Amino acid sequence: MFQKIFNFIKKSSATSILHNPTAGYISYSNFNTEKMQKEGYEQNVVVYRCVDMIAKEVAKVPFVLFSNEKKIEKHPLLSLLDNPNPMQSKSEYFIDVISQKLITGNAYLETAYPDKGLDIRPTKTPVYLYSLNPTNMKILKGRNNIPSGYEFSLGGQSMVFPVGISGESNILHLKTFNPLSKWEGMSPIQSAAYNIDQLNLSNQWNNNILKNSGNVSGIIETGELTPEQVSMFKEQLESFKGSSSKSLMTLPTGVKYQQMGLTPGDLNFAEGIKMSSQMIAFAFGVPYDLVNTDQAKYENLDKAKELLWDNAVKPHLEHIITEFNTWLVPRYGKGLKLGYDEDSVEAISTKRDRKRQSLEASSFMTINEKRLAMGLNKLDGADTLLTEMNKIPLDQAGFGDEIADDEKSYTQSLIQKGYDAQMAEKITRLVYDHSD
């Protein structure tokens, strides 16, 4: 049924018993897994939007590979990351991984190898990468906060991925910080649980009000009625309520209606929903302008996208790249380092353009200082300050010399330095603060 599993590199993959992969959660003692899935993600549009937005932004960033600091255009590792497995493209795979991490606080990645008997070496490169469902994973605790293994179970079958004494394994466990556990991560959904409940309950309440024609619950006060009259009155009430009812109802003398519930206006639902949405987005590091249903200004959206990159996308992207450089990249040899293409990130390009424009307008920096601030190499002869008006080197303009008492003498000194008469007069007007 299962093939033998070896200490570090295994022959079989968990996908051999994976039939119907679905999103799920690791089991937490204080949280109901099913409720977290249904109410925390599937039934909450703000959580869904935050997870979807972050995961897609991470997945679309291209990877780059360096060998001894030199960029490599083609490599088997890059090919594997572009086509992780037969069922998922690069985009689908990394959306899966990041979504699992955001929803559950945990993501499990597997390196899979072909079955070629016992001759499987630790240095062999993997054929596929898979994302395993956290619901199906169980951490087998070991010593010194290092697991002894990872157990994958599904449909009554299970297999164990062993872990070496130094943590080597064919399973990479990505997790967020959890102050209560060294083994499992903590989902942002747990931090925003109260706000998620408030938003879900608000939507349910509004939906029930709409089903009841906008009417809230109440009681009917009556006088002395016979049982037959009470029964008839109840039937009339049942036929009257509901959005499909178009009839009119007349209350007998002495009968009064007393409202028991509060209307959405009384509860200030609109403000409550907005506040809950803001806190949920805050828990995921997503600017509220990107999940706000109101139309945001264009300039606000540009800034919000930059904040999304800095607060949410970049940390998750750098986390997985850092772990890959320890777990996956060494299997392809020494001197390799994985990174990402910053030029392809719109938020980084926008910030660079703004920085370049700011530096370009700066008159107190040399060209080389500006180039270094942009991460560029120095140029020969570009270490002199330029004037704001004519971009003339200050030492050539005579600012380092003693200025003559009269303009004519100063102009003549410039001509002696090699300036033509027209340029000398223009510099003189600049020095003596004359307008053109």
mmCIF file of all heavy atoms in Angstrom, residues 2-41:
data_model
loop_
_atom_site.group_PDB
_atom_site.id
_atom_site.type_symbol
_atom_site.label_atom_id
_atom_site.label_comp_id
_atom_site.label_asym_id
_atom_site.label_seq_id
_atom_site.Cartn_x
_atom_site.Cartn_y
_atom_site.Cartn_z
ATOM 1 N N PHE A 2 1.728 1.388 0.997
ATOM 2 C CA PHE A 2 2.688 2.488 1.019
ATOM 3 C C PHE A 2 4.074 1.930 0.778
ATOM 4 O O PHE A 2 4.401 0.835 1.219
ATOM 5 C CB PHE A 2 2.678 3.211 2.370
ATOM 6 C CG PHE A 2 1.465 4.055 2.566
ATOM 7 C CD1 PHE A 2 0.515 3.706 3.511
ATOM 8 C CD2 PHE A 2 1.279 5.185 1.803
ATOM 9 C CE1 PHE A 2 -0.598 4.475 3.677
ATOM 10 C CE2 PHE A 2 0.168 5.966 1.984
ATOM 11 C CZ PHE A 2 -0.775 5.609 2.925
ATOM 12 N N GLN A 3 4.891 2.721 0.118
ATOM 13 C CA GLN A 3 6.272 2.328 -0.073
ATOM 14 C C GLN A 3 7.064 2.700 1.177
ATOM 15 O O GLN A 3 6.649 3.493 1.999
ATOM 16 C CB GLN A 3 6.840 3.057 -1.291
ATOM 17 C CG GLN A 3 6.042 2.743 -2.557
ATOM 18 C CD GLN A 3 6.513 3.619 -3.702
ATOM 19 O OE1 GLN A 3 7.541 4.240 -3.597
ATOM 20 N NE2 GLN A 3 5.751 3.645 -4.763
ATOM 21 N N LYS A 4 8.239 2.104 1.306
ATOM 22 C CA LYS A 4 9.059 2.385 2.478
ATOM 23 C C LYS A 4 9.539 3.835 2.455
ATOM 24 O O LYS A 4 9.806 4.405 1.418
ATOM 25 C CB LYS A 4 10.263 1.435 2.494
ATOM 26 C CG LYS A 4 9.875 -0.032 2.685
ATOM 27 C CD LYS A 4 11.112 -0.899 2.733
ATOM 28 C CE LYS A 4 10.734 -2.358 2.933
ATOM 29 N NZ LYS A 4 11.921 -3.227 2.946
ATOM 30 N N ILE A 5 9.614 4.391 3.654
ATOM 31 C CA ILE A 5 10.050 5.775 3.790
ATOM 32 C C ILE A 5 11.433 5.782 4.416
ATOM 33 O O ILE A 5 11.672 5.112 5.413
ATOM 34 C CB ILE A 5 9.059 6.575 4.655
ATOM 35 C CG1 ILE A 5 7.681 6.512 4.011
ATOM 36 C CG2 ILE A 5 9.489 8.004 4.829
ATOM 37 C CD1 ILE A 5 6.599 7.122 4.850
ATOM 38 N N PHE A 6 12.323 6.560 3.850
ATOM 39 C CA PHE A 6 13.691 6.577 4.332
ATOM 40 C C PHE A 6 13.955 7.810 5.182
ATOM 41 O O PHE A 6 13.157 8.727 5.245
ATOM 42 C CB PHE A 6 14.661 6.515 3.136
ATOM 43 C CG PHE A 6 14.417 5.291 2.305
ATOM 44 C CD1 PHE A 6 13.639 5.366 1.175
ATOM 45 C CD2 PHE A 6 14.926 4.062 2.689
ATOM 46 C CE1 PHE A 6 13.394 4.232 0.414
ATOM 47 C CE2 PHE A 6 14.681 2.929 1.930
ATOM 48 C CZ PHE A 6 13.910 3.020 0.792
ATOM 49 N N ASN A 7 15.095 7.803 5.867
ATOM 50 C CA ASN A 7 15.363 8.795 6.910
ATOM 51 C C ASN A 7 15.262 10.228 6.426
ATOM 52 O O ASN A 7 14.747 11.079 7.124
ATOM 53 C CB ASN A 7 16.752 8.569 7.511
ATOM 54 C CG ASN A 7 16.760 7.337 8.384
ATOM 55 O OD1 ASN A 7 15.722 6.951 8.905
ATOM 56 N ND2 ASN A 7 17.917 6.716 8.518
ATOM 57 N N PHE A 8 15.765 10.543 5.260
ATOM 58 C CA PHE A 8 15.751 11.950 4.858
ATOM 59 C C PHE A 8 15.009 12.146 3.539
ATOM 60 O O PHE A 8 14.024 12.852 3.467
ATOM 61 C CB PHE A 8 17.185 12.462 4.745
ATOM 62 C CG PHE A 8 17.280 13.857 4.216
ATOM 63 C CD1 PHE A 8 16.414 14.834 4.660
ATOM 64 C CD2 PHE A 8 18.237 14.190 3.286
ATOM 65 C CE1 PHE A 8 16.510 16.125 4.183
ATOM 66 C CE2 PHE A 8 18.329 15.476 2.802
ATOM 67 C CZ PHE A 8 17.468 16.433 3.254
ATOM 68 N N ILE A 9 15.474 11.485 2.500
ATOM 69 C CA ILE A 9 14.835 11.630 1.203
ATOM 70 C C ILE A 9 13.906 10.452 0.976
ATOM 71 O O ILE A 9 14.298 9.301 1.102
ATOM 72 C CB ILE A 9 15.886 11.677 0.083
ATOM 73 C CG1 ILE A 9 16.820 12.861 0.312
ATOM 74 C CG2 ILE A 9 15.217 11.796 -1.260
ATOM 75 C CD1 ILE A 9 16.143 14.198 0.258
ATOM 76 N N LYS A 10 12.663 10.722 0.645
ATOM 77 C CA LYS A 10 11.700 9.651 0.483
ATOM 78 C C LYS A 10 11.377 9.446 -0.981
ATOM 79 O O LYS A 10 11.630 10.303 -1.814
ATOM 80 C CB LYS A 10 10.416 9.983 1.240
ATOM 81 C CG LYS A 10 9.796 11.247 0.728
ATOM 82 C CD LYS A 10 8.516 11.521 1.422
ATOM 83 C CE LYS A 10 7.907 12.784 0.870
ATOM 84 N NZ LYS A 10 7.822 12.835 -0.566
ATOM 85 N N LYS A 11 10.826 8.307 -1.279
ATOM 86 C CA LYS A 11 10.491 7.978 -2.656
ATOM 87 C C LYS A 11 9.064 8.342 -2.995
ATOM 88 O O LYS A 11 8.761 8.727 -4.105
ATOM 89 C CB LYS A 11 10.705 6.488 -2.907
ATOM 90 C CG LYS A 11 12.135 6.030 -2.715
ATOM 91 C CD LYS A 11 12.258 4.546 -3.005
ATOM 92 C CE LYS A 11 11.477 3.731 -1.993
ATOM 93 N NZ LYS A 11 11.609 2.291 -2.231
ATOM 94 N N SER A 12 8.153 8.192 -2.057
ATOM 95 C CA SER A 12 6.736 8.402 -2.335
ATOM 96 C C SER A 12 6.310 9.788 -1.910
ATOM 97 O O SER A 12 6.977 10.460 -1.149
ATOM 98 C CB SER A 12 5.911 7.354 -1.602
ATOM 99 O OG SER A 12 6.161 7.412 -0.225
ATOM 100 N N SER A 13 5.185 10.207 -2.421
ATOM 101 C CA SER A 13 4.667 11.532 -2.127
ATOM 102 C C SER A 13 3.310 11.418 -1.466
ATOM 103 O O SER A 13 2.574 10.454 -1.689
ATOM 104 C CB SER A 13 4.556 12.337 -3.427
ATOM 105 O OG SER A 13 3.776 13.477 -3.234
ATOM 106 N N ALA A 14 2.971 12.435 -0.663
ATOM 107 C CA ALA A 14 1.662 12.430 -0.016
ATOM 108 C C ALA A 14 0.542 12.494 -1.040
ATOM 109 O O ALA A 14 -0.594 12.123 -0.752
ATOM 110 C CB ALA A 14 1.553 13.619 0.948
ATOM 111 N N THR A 15 0.861 12.957 -2.257
ATOM 112 C CA THR A 15 -0.176 13.037 -3.283
ATOM 113 C C THR A 15 -0.657 11.658 -3.713
ATOM 114 O O THR A 15 -1.687 11.537 -4.358
ATOM 115 C CB THR A 15 0.358 13.780 -4.512
ATOM 116 O OG1 THR A 15 1.569 13.156 -4.941
ATOM 117 C CG2 THR A 15 0.653 15.228 -4.167
ATOM 118 N N SER A 16 0.078 10.608 -3.341
ATOM 119 C CA SER A 16 -0.360 9.262 -3.702
ATOM 120 C C SER A 16 -1.620 8.857 -2.957
ATOM 121 O O SER A 16 -2.323 7.942 -3.363
ATOM 122 C CB SER A 16 0.762 8.255 -3.415
ATOM 123 O OG SER A 16 1.051 8.228 -2.018
ATOM 124 N N ILE A 17 -1.935 9.534 -1.839
ATOM 125 C CA ILE A 17 -3.179 9.232 -1.118
ATOM 126 C C ILE A 17 -4.079 10.453 -1.049
ATOM 127 O O ILE A 17 -5.057 10.476 -0.327
ATOM 128 C CB ILE A 17 -2.899 8.731 0.312
ATOM 129 C CG1 ILE A 17 -2.114 9.768 1.119
ATOM 130 C CG2 ILE A 17 -2.170 7.425 0.285
ATOM 131 C CD1 ILE A 17 -1.992 9.412 2.584
ATOM 132 N N LEU A 18 -3.732 11.488 -1.833
ATOM 133 C CA LEU A 18 -4.525 12.718 -1.816
ATOM 134 C C LEU A 18 -5.538 12.656 -2.943
ATOM 135 O O LEU A 18 -5.199 12.642 -4.105
ATOM 136 C CB LEU A 18 -3.606 13.932 -1.990
ATOM 137 C CG LEU A 18 -4.248 15.294 -1.889
ATOM 138 C CD1 LEU A 18 -4.864 15.486 -0.510
ATOM 139 C CD2 LEU A 18 -3.228 16.386 -2.158
ATOM 140 N N HIS A 19 -6.826 12.602 -2.583
ATOM 141 C CA HIS A 19 -7.868 12.445 -3.590
ATOM 142 C C HIS A 19 -8.656 13.722 -3.819
ATOM 143 O O HIS A 19 -8.963 14.080 -4.943
ATOM 144 C CB HIS A 19 -8.837 11.332 -3.173
ATOM 145 C CG HIS A 19 -8.161 10.026 -2.938
ATOM 146 N ND1 HIS A 19 -7.547 9.329 -3.946
ATOM 147 C CD2 HIS A 19 -7.981 9.302 -1.811
ATOM 148 C CE1 HIS A 19 -7.040 8.202 -3.470
ATOM 149 N NE2 HIS A 19 -7.283 8.166 -2.170
ATOM 150 N N ASN A 20 -9.023 14.427 -2.739
ATOM 151 C CA ASN A 20 -9.883 15.589 -2.865
ATOM 152 C C ASN A 20 -9.370 16.700 -1.968
ATOM 153 O O ASN A 20 -9.897 16.935 -0.894
ATOM 154 C CB ASN A 20 -11.322 15.221 -2.478
ATOM 155 C CG ASN A 20 -12.277 16.375 -2.725
ATOM 156 O OD1 ASN A 20 -11.992 17.238 -3.541
ATOM 157 N ND2 ASN A 20 -13.387 16.385 -2.015
ATOM 158 N N PRO A 21 -8.304 17.435 -2.376
ATOM 159 C CA PRO A 21 -7.739 18.467 -1.522
ATOM 160 C C PRO A 21 -8.683 19.626 -1.309
ATOM 161 O O PRO A 21 -9.281 20.132 -2.254
ATOM 162 C CB PRO A 21 -6.495 18.917 -2.303
ATOM 163 C CG PRO A 21 -6.772 18.552 -3.708
ATOM 164 C CD PRO A 21 -7.626 17.325 -3.678
ATOM 165 N N THR A 22 -8.874 20.032 -0.062
ATOM 166 C CA THR A 22 -9.714 21.180 0.262
ATOM 167 C C THR A 22 -9.000 22.033 1.286
ATOM 168 O O THR A 22 -8.145 21.556 2.022
ATOM 169 C CB THR A 22 -11.057 20.738 0.855
ATOM 170 O OG1 THR A 22 -10.793 19.910 2.011
ATOM 171 C CG2 THR A 22 -11.872 19.943 -0.146
ATOM 172 N N ALA A 23 -9.342 23.312 1.354
ATOM 173 C CA ALA A 23 -8.737 24.213 2.329
ATOM 174 C C ALA A 23 -9.172 23.825 3.729
ATOM 175 O O ALA A 23 -10.300 23.407 3.946
ATOM 176 C CB ALA A 23 -9.148 25.657 2.037
ATOM 177 N N GLY A 24 -8.272 23.951 4.693
ATOM 178 C CA GLY A 24 -8.637 23.581 6.060
ATOM 179 C C GLY A 24 -7.747 24.221 7.078
ATOM 180 O O GLY A 24 -6.968 25.109 6.760
ATOM 181 N N TYR A 25 -7.822 23.774 8.312
ATOM 182 C CA TYR A 25 -7.113 24.403 9.408
ATOM 183 C C TYR A 25 -6.417 23.361 10.278
ATOM 184 O O TYR A 25 -6.913 22.268 10.468
ATOM 185 C CB TYR A 25 -8.079 25.202 10.302
ATOM 186 C CG TYR A 25 -8.777 26.302 9.579
ATOM 187 C CD1 TYR A 25 -9.985 26.074 8.952
ATOM 188 C CD2 TYR A 25 -8.212 27.569 9.504
ATOM 189 C CE1 TYR A 25 -10.610 27.089 8.265
ATOM 190 C CE2 TYR A 25 -8.831 28.583 8.828
ATOM 191 C CZ TYR A 25 -10.031 28.352 8.198
ATOM 192 O OH TYR A 25 -10.658 29.347 7.527
ATOM 193 N N ILE A 26 -5.304 23.758 10.841
ATOM 194 C CA ILE A 26 -4.673 22.950 11.859
ATOM 195 C C ILE A 26 -5.559 22.998 13.100
ATOM 196 O O ILE A 26 -6.294 23.952 13.302
ATOM 197 C CB ILE A 26 -3.253 23.487 12.172
ATOM 198 C CG1 ILE A 26 -2.394 22.404 12.818
ATOM 199 C CG2 ILE A 26 -3.280 24.706 13.024
ATOM 200 C CD1 ILE A 26 -1.910 21.356 11.909
ATOM 201 N N SER A 27 -5.512 22.004 13.926
ATOM 202 C CA SER A 27 -6.407 21.943 15.084
ATOM 203 C C SER A 27 -5.858 22.763 16.238
ATOM 204 O O SER A 27 -4.737 22.568 16.682
ATOM 205 C CB SER A 27 -6.569 20.484 15.535
ATOM 206 O OG SER A 27 -7.376 20.410 16.683
ATOM 207 N N TYR A 28 -6.635 23.721 16.721
ATOM 208 C CA TYR A 28 -6.273 24.514 17.880
ATOM 209 C C TYR A 28 -7.224 24.178 19.017
ATOM 210 O O TYR A 28 -8.407 23.986 18.821
ATOM 211 C CB TYR A 28 -6.376 26.016 17.578
ATOM 212 C CG TYR A 28 -5.387 26.489 16.566
ATOM 213 C CD1 TYR A 28 -5.762 26.643 15.241
ATOM 214 C CD2 TYR A 28 -4.075 26.782 16.918
ATOM 215 C CE1 TYR A 28 -4.860 27.098 14.295
ATOM 216 C CE2 TYR A 28 -3.172 27.235 15.976
ATOM 217 C CZ TYR A 28 -3.574 27.381 14.676
ATOM 218 O OH TYR A 28 -2.674 27.814 13.752
ATOM 219 N N SER A 29 -6.674 24.157 20.222
ATOM 220 C CA SER A 29 -7.483 23.745 21.367
ATOM 221 C C SER A 29 -8.601 24.727 21.667
ATOM 222 O O SER A 29 -9.661 24.335 22.134
ATOM 223 C CB SER A 29 -6.583 23.581 22.600
ATOM 224 O OG SER A 29 -5.898 24.795 22.885
ATOM 225 N N ASN A 30 -8.375 26.019 21.406
ATOM 226 C CA ASN A 30 -9.361 27.018 21.777
ATOM 227 C C ASN A 30 -10.203 27.493 20.589
ATOM 228 O O ASN A 30 -10.995 28.413 20.731
ATOM 229 C CB ASN A 30 -8.661 28.225 22.428
ATOM 230 C CG ASN A 30 -7.993 27.848 23.734
ATOM 231 O OD1 ASN A 30 -8.476 26.996 24.449
ATOM 232 N ND2 ASN A 30 -6.866 28.480 24.034
ATOM 233 N N PHE A 31 -10.016 26.907 19.421
ATOM 234 C CA PHE A 31 -10.759 27.339 18.252
ATOM 235 C C PHE A 31 -11.347 26.122 17.551
ATOM 236 O O PHE A 31 -10.692 25.098 17.397
ATOM 237 C CB PHE A 31 -9.859 28.107 17.283
ATOM 238 C CG PHE A 31 -9.611 29.525 17.700
ATOM 239 C CD1 PHE A 31 -8.648 29.825 18.651
ATOM 240 C CD2 PHE A 31 -10.345 30.561 17.155
ATOM 241 C CE1 PHE A 31 -8.414 31.126 19.043
ATOM 242 C CE2 PHE A 31 -10.120 31.873 17.536
ATOM 243 C CZ PHE A 31 -9.159 32.154 18.486
ATOM 244 N N ASN A 32 -12.581 26.280 17.110
ATOM 245 C CA ASN A 32 -13.254 25.235 16.364
ATOM 246 C C ASN A 32 -12.811 25.319 14.912
ATOM 247 O O ASN A 32 -13.051 26.317 14.236
ATOM 248 C CB ASN A 32 -14.775 25.401 16.487
ATOM 249 C CG ASN A 32 -15.526 24.296 15.789
ATOM 250 O OD1 ASN A 32 -15.537 24.227 14.569
ATOM 251 N ND2 ASN A 32 -16.144 23.440 16.566
ATOM 252 N N THR A 33 -12.163 24.263 14.418
ATOM 253 C CA THR A 33 -11.593 24.287 13.073
ATOM 254 C C THR A 33 -12.646 24.535 12.007
ATOM 255 O O THR A 33 -12.454 25.359 11.103
ATOM 256 C CB THR A 33 -10.875 22.951 12.789
ATOM 257 O OG1 THR A 33 -9.875 22.748 13.776
ATOM 258 C CG2 THR A 33 -10.245 22.973 11.409
ATOM 259 N N GLU A 34 -13.760 23.841 12.093
ATOM 260 C CA GLU A 34 -14.801 23.985 11.073
ATOM 261 C C GLU A 34 -15.391 25.388 11.068
ATOM 262 O O GLU A 34 -15.647 25.965 10.013
ATOM 263 C CB GLU A 34 -15.905 22.946 11.312
ATOM 264 C CG GLU A 34 -16.956 22.935 10.218
ATOM 265 C CD GLU A 34 -17.975 21.824 10.411
ATOM 266 O OE1 GLU A 34 -17.758 20.971 11.294
ATOM 267 O OE2 GLU A 34 -18.973 21.829 9.678
ATOM 268 N N LYS A 35 -15.593 25.944 12.264
ATOM 269 C CA LYS A 35 -16.152 27.292 12.330
ATOM 270 C C LYS A 35 -15.157 28.313 11.791
ATOM 271 O O LYS A 35 -15.545 29.293 11.155
ATOM 272 C CB LYS A 35 -16.534 27.639 13.767
ATOM 273 C CG LYS A 35 -17.740 26.869 14.291
ATOM 274 C CD LYS A 35 -18.220 27.411 15.614
ATOM 275 C CE LYS A 35 -18.810 28.805 15.448
ATOM 276 N NZ LYS A 35 -19.382 29.314 16.712
ATOM 277 N N MET A 36 -13.857 28.101 12.050
ATOM 278 C CA MET A 36 -12.851 29.015 11.505
ATOM 279 C C MET A 36 -12.867 28.996 9.985
ATOM 280 O O MET A 36 -12.739 30.035 9.340
ATOM 281 C CB MET A 36 -11.465 28.629 12.024
ATOM 282 C CG MET A 36 -11.187 29.050 13.455
ATOM 283 S SD MET A 36 -9.520 28.594 13.974
ATOM 284 C CE MET A 36 -8.536 29.593 12.870
ATOM 285 N N GLN A 37 -13.035 27.817 9.414
ATOM 286 C CA GLN A 37 -13.066 27.701 7.965
ATOM 287 C C GLN A 37 -14.324 28.325 7.378
ATOM 288 O O GLN A 37 -14.254 29.128 6.446
ATOM 289 C CB GLN A 37 -12.989 26.224 7.552
ATOM 290 C CG GLN A 37 -13.024 26.034 6.042
ATOM 291 C CD GLN A 37 -13.060 24.580 5.646
ATOM 292 O OE1 GLN A 37 -13.387 23.716 6.457
ATOM 293 N NE2 GLN A 37 -12.737 24.288 4.413
ATOM 294 N N LYS A 38 -15.462 27.967 7.934
ATOM 295 C CA LYS A 38 -16.724 28.424 7.372
ATOM 296 C C LYS A 38 -16.954 29.910 7.622
ATOM 297 O O LYS A 38 -17.275 30.661 6.706
ATOM 298 C CB LYS A 38 -17.881 27.616 7.981
ATOM 299 C CG LYS A 38 -17.839 26.132 7.677
ATOM 300 C CD LYS A 38 -18.139 25.831 6.220
ATOM 301 C CE LYS A 38 -19.578 26.129 5.858
ATOM 302 N NZ LYS A 38 -19.897 25.731 4.479
ATOM 303 N N GLU A 39 -16.817 30.313 8.901
ATOM 304 C CA GLU A 39 -17.166 31.681 9.265
ATOM 305 C C GLU A 39 -15.991 32.645 9.115
ATOM 306 O O GLU A 39 -16.190 33.836 8.865
ATOM 307 C CB GLU A 39 -17.690 31.718 10.703
ATOM 308 C CG GLU A 39 -18.943 30.868 10.904
ATOM 309 C CD GLU A 39 -19.388 30.823 12.366
ATOM 310 O OE1 GLU A 39 -18.921 31.667 13.142
ATOM 311 O OE2 GLU A 39 -20.177 29.930 12.705
ATOM 312 N N GLY A 40 -14.782 32.105 9.281
ATOM 313 C CA GLY A 40 -13.623 32.981 9.212
ATOM 314 C C GLY A 40 -13.177 33.292 7.807
ATOM 315 O O GLY A 40 -12.625 34.356 7.541
ATOM 316 N N TYR A 41 -13.406 32.375 6.868
ATOM 317 C CA TYR A 41 -12.921 32.591 5.505
ATOM 318 C C TYR A 41 -14.033 32.505 4.466
ATOM 319 O O TYR A 41 -14.268 33.451 3.718
ATOM 320 C CB TYR A 41 -11.828 31.579 5.184
ATOM 321 C CG TYR A 41 -11.304 31.665 3.770
ATOM 322 C CD1 TYR A 41 -10.517 32.739 3.365
ATOM 323 C CD2 TYR A 41 -11.584 30.667 2.846
ATOM 324 C CE1 TYR A 41 -10.036 32.825 2.071
ATOM 325 C CE2 TYR A 41 -11.102 30.738 1.549
ATOM 326 C CZ TYR A 41 -10.334 31.821 1.166
ATOM 327 O OH TYR A 41 -9.854 31.899 -0.119
#
